Amino acid sequence: MKVIKNKSECRKIVETLKSGGNTVGLVPTMGSLHEGHIALIRMARKECSRIFISIFVNPSQFGPGEDYVKYPRETKKDLGLAESEGVDFVFLPPVSGMYGNNHRTFVEVEGLGKIMCGVSRPTHFRGVATVVLKLFNIIPAHRAYFGEKDYQQLVIIKKMVKDLDIDIKITSSPTIRESDGLAMSSRNRYLTQEQRKEAVIIYKTLKWARREIKSGEKDLKKLRAVAELKILENRNIGTVEYFDFRDAYTLEEVSFPPVHRKMLIAAAVRAGTTRLIDNIVINVKK
Ligand code: AMP
């Protein structure tokens, strides 16, 4: 496994690999690798002959007062894990290598970045889209892999790829969960023991909403209200930022379960200062 810090070296390697007939896969991460990342790496491993992961805690996707400074950084451990998973190349740039002193160009996927998580994190998705486009330019892989855990991010990246004619196939992998159902996240380590125990209510409530809809409930407003109450019964969960029912392709809000179209049920909550997100996608049949 080779660790690369330099952009032009990275690009050259990708060019050589491609001209040698390899299929190149990229898994962008912010490090602190867990089973969710590993699932993406394994998927890439199956479909590509050479794989890159990037490890970069991207400052432009953190808002003022967010956890950029305290975000976990475990490079040594990550490199060991990546190596044991058969990763070929790790792109590990310094912040100064990704953003010059006078960086002024950002990618905005209009509309999609301002809803859901974009309400409380108004500059988050422009930071994500910008760094992902930069990574795609530095590592012009054939395929790139993203988790459904960050569903809004996935939709935004797919839209950016389509709108900007980027020649990279985006593949997603289902959310990997702890044994009690909590979606794995590098931020779960911020939770106190009590918050951690109660955080399982997010997935439980998403599944409850799915059951209600599958058994014919049409009143999504009511479902949302009850879902919020169920979550807030847990004393260590302070706020429900949203509990939304949306079209899984466009992220438009839906008022009735759409028939024959996938629906996203997504939630964001705060337990203390920790923000947790989760979602499930359901098919509603007649
Ligand atoms: P991050 O390091 O948090 O930026 O995540 C890097 C990639 O891993 C993103 O595509 C995430 O959606 C994905 N990911 C994070 N957590 C999970 C999870 N629990 N299951 C599946 N994918 C995940």
Side-chain angles (χ1 to χ4, degrees), residues 23-27 44 48-53 139 141-145:
T23 308
V24 179
L26 166 66
V27 181
C48 307
S49 57
R50 290 289 183 275
I51 60 172
F52 281 75
I53 70 166
I139 306 168
H142 294 98
R143 294 163 171 267
Y145 296 82

Side-chain angles (χ1 to χ4, degrees), residues 4-274:
I4 311 160
K5 300 203 167 176
N6 178 285
K7 292 190 273 195
S8 47
E9 188 187 351
C10 218
R11 226 178 267 125
K12 267 190 212 134
I13 291 176
V14 179
E15 272 165 27
T16 312
L17 289 172
K18 280 175 143 179
S19 57
N22 287 287
T23 308
V24 179
L26 166 66
V27 181
T29 83
M30 296 208 298
S32 278
L33 303 181
H34 52 64
E35 291 295 324
H37 302 109
I38 303 288
L40 293 171
I41 292 172
R42 290 187 181 161
M43 203 174 207
R45 182 78 285 166
K46 267 196 196 142
E47 296 179 351
C48 307
S49 57
R50 290 289 183 275
I51 60 172
F52 281 75
I53 70 166
S54 57
I55 300 180
F56 181 62
V57 183
N58 171 37
S60 76
Q61 71 189 70
F62 291 80
E66 289 187 355
D67 56 343
Y68 174 66
V69 174
K70 84 162 180 183
Y71 196 85
R73 287 151 172 96
E74 303 178 309
T75 311
K76 214 172 154 200
K77 189 169 154 224
D78 288 345
L79 293 179
L81 253 175
E83 176 128 53
S84 66
E85 288 297 325
V87 168
D88 300 291
F89 300 94
V90 179
F91 179 51
L92 187 70
V95 174
S96 58
M98 288 296 275
Y99 295 101
N101 286 335
N102 195 23
H103 185 96
R104 286 173 182 272
T105 311
F106 292 91
V107 181
E108 187 106 41
V109 180
E110 279 187 358
L112 293 178
K114 298 291 184 199
I115 56 174
M116 302 170 70
C117 292
V119 173
S120 69
R121 308 188 74 193
T123 56
H124 172 66
F125 289 109
R126 103 178 176 151
V128 170
T130 303
V131 80
V132 170
L133 181 59
K134 282 169 74 64
L135 289 169
F136 286 175
N137 284 328
I138 298 163
I139 306 168
H142 294 98
R143 294 163 171 267
Y145 296 82
F146 293 87
E148 287 162 21
K149 151 85 172 27
D150 299 281
Y151 196 90
Q152 185 176 8
Q153 167 175 291
L154 176 64
V155 172
I156 286 174
I157 286 162
K158 282 185 175 168
K159 186 78 178 112
M160 174 184 80
V161 163
K162 187 160 188 267
D163 287 353
L164 299 183
D165 305 303
I166 300 167
D167 190 18
I168 295 184
K169 183 176 174 353
I170 305 300
T171 303
S172 68
S173 142
T175 302
I176 306 297
R177 301 178 178 282
E178 301 287 355
S179 54
D180 64 355
L182 177 67
M184 287 197 180
S185 162
S186 309
R187 291 189 166 100
N188 290 349
R189 70 187 65 194
Y190 300 156
L191 299 170
T192 63
Q193 253 183 7
E194 292 74 25
Q195 289 168 342
R196 169 63 191 84
K197 261 189 232 149
E198 292 188 1
V200 69
I201 190 63
I202 309 165
Y203 185 48
K204 273 194 183 156
T205 309
L206 290 168
K207 286 194 297 183
W208 166 82
R210 172 171 64 193
R211 278 199 306 278
E212 290 293 306
I213 291 165
K214 294 252 180 196
S215 51
E217 180 60 65
K218 301 256 184 307
D219 188 346
L220 299 183
K221 242 189 184 166
K222 185 179 93 189
L223 279 189
R224 168 183 288 145
V226 178
E228 289 190 4
L229 287 177
K230 278 178 180 290
I231 294 172
L232 291 176
E233 269 170 14
N234 294 268
R235 285 181 34 232
N236 293 288
I237 306 222
T239 329
V240 178
E241 273 188 12
Y242 63 79
F243 193 98
D244 277 5
F245 301 92
R246 293 188 176 257
D247 184 295
Y249 299 100
T250 63
L251 299 186
E252 275 163 28
E253 211 158 359
V254 291
S255 351
F256 296 102
V259 176
H260 295 316
R261 197 149 159 99
K262 283 185 179 172
M263 181 169 70
L264 170 74
I265 315 177
V269 310
R270 276 186 197 271
T273 52
T274 306

